[in-house]
Amino acid sequence: MRRAARFAPALILVGLALTGPYLAPHSIDAPVTMPYDAPGTAPLGGDQLGRDVLSRLLAGGQELLLTSVVIALVVTVVAAFLGALAALRPTVGRIIDRAADTAMLLPTVLALLLVALSWPGGGRYALIAAAVVTGVPYAVRVVSGAAAPIAASGYVEAAAAGGEHLWHLIWRELLPNLRATCLNLFGLRFVAAVYIVATAGFLEIGPQPPEANWALMIRENGAGILLNPWAVIAPSLAIGALTVAVQFAADALAPRPGRAT
């Protein structure tokens, strides 16, 4: 029951983000009130063009959610494979670790700008590529550290001595014992992905106006925050609530000693 309660916020917010575009009472790009109008005619007021803030809020989370999930999933899967490989093959592991250490020197925002300049029409694919490239190095170091003691355990060494293939050792011996690490890592990478996607939206890398996007809403309506603060506060709260809820859900899925799974 307690575990289910930790899933509920994530399920509700994810459901709202996915179905929000179909629940919006008004078009996302049609003015319905005065610019920065306070709540009244529109429940959350109007944005800088008089568009309904509530409609844009409902429509603005779907892409952020899906893009962040793809980034977190790709980063976790790639890091799990490379981390397990690094633990089983120390020579390869040293190369992977040094490459990861070097890649971590690249700031995320700089990577976003570099990708945006070199791939101007890339859109969300360029954003995903930049987020994966900057996210995998951190994740690999986490997984390889957790996988090292498992790779040195007796049953893995026995399987290796018995001639089991490398893929079998990774897939059947290491990864099942790294489930808690990978689930927690997915939650952390989702939070990081939301941060990256929101930052890209704030910098107008990826989604472009007049598209409804929570990060774009914050940027677009910052100048009128004193007139209608809900145009900025509502998408900010939505981003924060979504990241915390998904993190709680991922943590609830991770097995704990003494907790039934």
Side-chain angles (χ1 to χ4, degrees):
M1 187 67 182
R2 186 178 174 185
R3 196 176 177 190
R6 301 182 71 177
F7 278 106
L11 291 176
I12 293 171
L13 289 171
V14 168
L16 279 175
L18 293 177
T19 61
Y22 311 103
L23 303 175
H26 300 286
S27 170
I28 62 170
D29 54 4
V32 297
T33 185
M34 296 293 290
Y36 296 127
D37 194 16
T41 305
L44 293 179
D47 68 357
Q48 91 275 24
L49 296 178
R51 298 169 296 193
D52 182 26
V53 170
L54 176 61
S55 297
R56 293 181 64 78
L57 181 70
L58 288 170
Q62 188 181 71
E63 180 176 333
L64 183 143
L65 171 68
L66 295 177
T67 304
S68 299
V69 167
V70 169
I71 292 170
L73 193 59
V74 172
V75 169
T76 303
V77 170
V78 172
F81 175 77
L82 292 178
L85 177 63
L88 288 168
R89 296 290 185 266
T91 302
V92 178
R94 284 191 286 273
I95 296 173
I96 292 174
D97 288 345
R98 297 295 82 77
D101 292 343
T102 303
M104 280 191 283
L105 296 174
L106 180 65
T108 302
V109 174
L110 179 58
L112 287 173
L113 295 175
L114 288 174
V115 171
L117 290 173
S118 60
W119 191 359
R124 68 170 60 89
Y125 300 108
L127 173 59
I128 291 173
V132 169
V133 167
T134 56
V136 165
Y138 292 93
V140 164
R141 296 292 269 156
V142 172
V143 176
S144 63
I150 301 174
S153 61
Y155 68 93
V156 176
E157 291 184 344
E164 294 292 353
H165 194 268
L166 176 63
W167 178 248
H168 174 90
L169 297 177
I170 293 175
W171 184 251
R172 299 296 298 273
E173 306 294 346
L174 258 67
L175 291 184
N177 293 292
L178 290 170
R179 187 165 52 133
T181 300
C182 291
L183 285 170
N184 282 314
L185 182 62
F186 175 82
L188 292 173
R189 296 321 306 176
F190 179 82
V191 174
V194 169
Y195 163 75
I196 293 172
V197 176
T199 301
F202 192 81
L203 297 174
E204 295 189 3
I205 301 172
Q208 300 291 322
E211 188 174 344
N213 179 281
W214 289 345
L216 271 179
M217 290 176 68
I218 298 172
R219 177 187 172 88
E220 291 174 343
N221 299 303
I225 189 171
L226 295 179
L227 298 174
N228 181 19
W230 287 109
V232 175
I233 293 175
S236 301
L237 289 177
I239 292 174
L242 180 64
T243 54
V244 172
V246 172
Q247 177 62 44
F248 271 129
D251 185 62
L253 279 173
R256 295 279 191 280
R259 188 173 77 182
T261 57

